[in-house]
Amino acid sequence: MKSNLARFWAASMAMVLVMASAAPAWANPSYERVYDASARRYVYVQKPTAKDRIQNAWRNPVVRSSAIGTAAGVGVGALTGKSLLKGGLVGAATGAGVGLMDKSELLRDKPLARRALKGTAIGAGAAITAGTGILPAAAIGTGVGAGVHYTRKHILEQPD
């Protein structure tokens, strides 16, 4: 024979389960309250999941350039026989710098400067990874970046 306390506990747990399954959006922790300026009211939108955050981060040019730079740095480190970890770290930093240059509002309307600076950063990163002279490699990278700009603008006639 069940006691009254056990019956009360079972009934209250069943009530909690029913209420939790029929909870409105504002009571659900996977939704957040956001102000919609066009409608002039608050709305509830679903919070991004971990998968959504990773996919959105990959669309960021800094993250993408950093990942590409890491792979390139490891490749340069492997080809030169230097440390793969050092190559990966320098490549990631160089890639992040290149991504920031792509994203920069200051360099948005200066494509020659942007491409020359990107070449400088890539050349310096490759020199650090390979353990050679940084200044000559940066100068060569600047020239390559300017050459890419000239080729795109005047020979291929592509917009910036």
Side-chain angles (χ1 to χ4, degrees):
M1 187 176 218
K2 289 186 176 179
S3 68
N4 288 337
L5 183 62
R7 286 187 186 131
F8 175 74
W9 183 82
S12 63
M13 287 295 111
M15 181 68 86
V16 166
L17 288 174
V18 168
M19 290 176 68
S21 64
W26 55 267
N28 193 337
S30 65
Y31 285 83
E32 62 183 342
R33 185 178 182 209
V34 177
Y35 185 72
D36 184 7
S38 63
R40 294 184 181 173
R41 64 188 178 104
Y42 284 95
V43 295
Y44 291 92
V45 295
Q46 193 168 5
K47 287 183 181 178
T49 62
K51 181 181 176 183
D52 294 336
R53 288 190 188 114
I54 290 170
Q55 288 174 343
N56 289 338
W58 184 249
R59 290 186 188 105
N60 188 340
V62 177
V63 174
R64 186 172 285 187
S65 296
S66 181
I68 293 169
T70 302
V74 168
V76 169
L79 289 175
T80 59
K82 305 290 182 178
S83 171
L84 298 180
L85 180 64
K86 177 183 173 185
L89 291 175
V90 171
T94 302
V98 168
L100 287 172
M101 288 178 212
D102 281 338
K103 205 173 169 181
S104 171
E105 293 293 326
L106 179 68
L107 297 173
R108 178 74 56 201
D109 57 344
K110 299 169 185 65
L112 175 62
R114 184 179 68 238
R115 290 183 182 127
L117 283 172
K118 285 167 58 175
T120 303
I122 292 169
I128 291 171
T129 302
T132 61
I134 297 173
L135 194 58
I140 291 170
T142 304
V144 169
V148 165
H149 173 75
Y150 177 80
T151 303
R152 286 189 63 159
K153 185 167 185 167
H154 298 292
I155 295 174
L156 300 177
E157 297 177 0
Q158 291 182 350
D160 297 324

